[in-house]
Amino acid sequence: EVQLVESGGGLVQPGGSLRLSCAASGFSFSSYWMSWVRRAPGKGLEWVANIKQDGSEKYYVDSVKGRFTISRDNAKNSLYLQMNSLRAEDTAVYYCATGGNPGYWGQGTLVTVSS
Amino acid sequence: DIVMTQTPLSLSVTPGQPASISCKSSQSLLHSDGKTYLFWYLQKPGQSPQLLIYEVSSRFSGVPDRFSGSGSGTDFTLKISRVEAEDVGVYYCMQGVYLPRTFGQGTKVEIK
């Protein structure tokens, strides 16, 4: 059974940083692109970033370019999202998902950016 | 960015009746590999999103056959043949051809 468990969310002040993690199990992690998607309160889904199997290709939505970095550790079956220079508009539930186009999704982790 | 436009934005359906959601993209979603990368997701209340349909019309693992997808190019439709109470939530279409990936605004389905 595919399992994706996100962690690392929390309350952070504007301008601060957080690192989200996603622990994957139940599938061959190193064989799949992986994605991050978010849902802000009262808003719809927004794709954030994805990463190729070996980490050689990474793509981001414009609003996070230069501030967020997606990465992975295939030896640890883990996906990461380093978020710097956080803004109020980054407040959202962040989901990791299998595939360059999301297939299986985790339960999400809440990031709140507020002073 | 590719704009995905869903209609209607909300839908109230009697159990056992059909429902249909339209999704239009601002550019063709036909990829050079011959596939059309249009996806449908459902986010039930209090849950994470789940994939229902991939590549326009293929049902994802475990998705009931009352869900079906159709369309081509820029016009797509998700149909529920007989709505059940467990189908409530927000439905999203998403294009998987261009970067950044973009979702429709979402269609909220409720039961009458």
Side-chain angles (χ1 to χ4, degrees):
Chain A
E1 178 193 3
V2 173
Q3 281 204 315
L4 299 168
V5 180
E6 300 93 336
S7 60
L11 175 63
V12 61
Q13 292 188 339
S17 298
L18 275 179
R19 188 195 196 206
L20 305 184
S21 299
C22 172
S25 61
F27 66 104
S28 179
F29 179 77
S30 60
S31 299
Y32 285 82
W33 281 74
M34 294 293 293
S35 298
W36 287 99
V37 180
R38 66 185 178 184
R39 186 175 184 186
K43 300 281 187 69
L45 297 173
E46 181 182 37
W47 176 85
V48 174
N50 61 16
I51 184 169
K52 194 175 180 179
Q53 290 92 330
D54 62 358
S56 61
E57 294 182 36
K58 305 175 185 182
Y59 302 99
Y60 302 90
V61 67
D62 280 353
S63 60
V64 309
K65 279 180 186 174
R67 300 188 299 121
F68 289 14
T69 302
I70 189 172
S71 63
R72 64 192 296 161
D73 185 334
N74 288 340
K76 294 183 177 180
N77 288 344
S78 293
L79 177 71
Y80 305 101
L81 187 66
Q82 178 66 44
M83 305 187 296
N84 298 330
S85 302
L86 282 160
R87 306 167 180 167
E89 55 264 35
D90 296 317
T91 294
V93 176
Y94 285 74
Y95 301 97
C96 70
T98 61
N101 294 310
Y104 292 98
W105 298 59
Q107 88 290 347
T109 187
L110 175 63
V111 172
T112 303
V113 184
S114 175
S115 54
Chain B
D1 296 358
I2 303 302
V3 177
M4 305 296 289
T5 303
Q6 288 181 229
T7 54
L9 297 184
S10 65
L11 203 49
S12 183
V13 188
T14 300
Q17 293 300 301
S20 179
I21 300 170
S22 171
C23 175
K24 296 183 187 298
S25 59
S26 58
Q27 290 188 38
S28 173
L29 301 185
L30 176 61
H31 193 274
S32 56
D33 65 6
K35 295 181 181 179
T36 299
Y37 292 97
L38 185 282
F39 300 79
W40 288 99
Y41 298 90
L42 165 60
Q43 186 163 28
K44 297 181 180 181
Q47 295 187 19
S48 55
Q50 60 186 96
L51 175 62
L52 297 175
I53 303 287
Y54 63 96
E55 294 171 20
V56 180
S57 59
S58 296
R59 275 187 301 276
F60 195 53
S61 174
V63 175
D65 60 8
R66 64 179 180 275
F67 290 94
S68 64
S70 62
S72 63
T74 61
D75 290 353
F76 305 94
T77 302
L78 175 71
K79 291 183 178 177
I80 311 173
S81 59
R82 295 173 303 281
V83 173
E84 298 187 4
E86 65 182 26
D87 299 336
V88 298
V90 183
Y91 290 76
Y92 297 91
C93 60
M94 188 203 81
Q95 62 82 13
V97 177
Y98 305 94
L99 290 166
R101 302 293 191 248
T102 46
F103 291 88
Q105 318 96 300
T107 296
K108 186 173 185 178
V109 172
E110 63 175 22
I111 298 296
K112 282 183 181 175

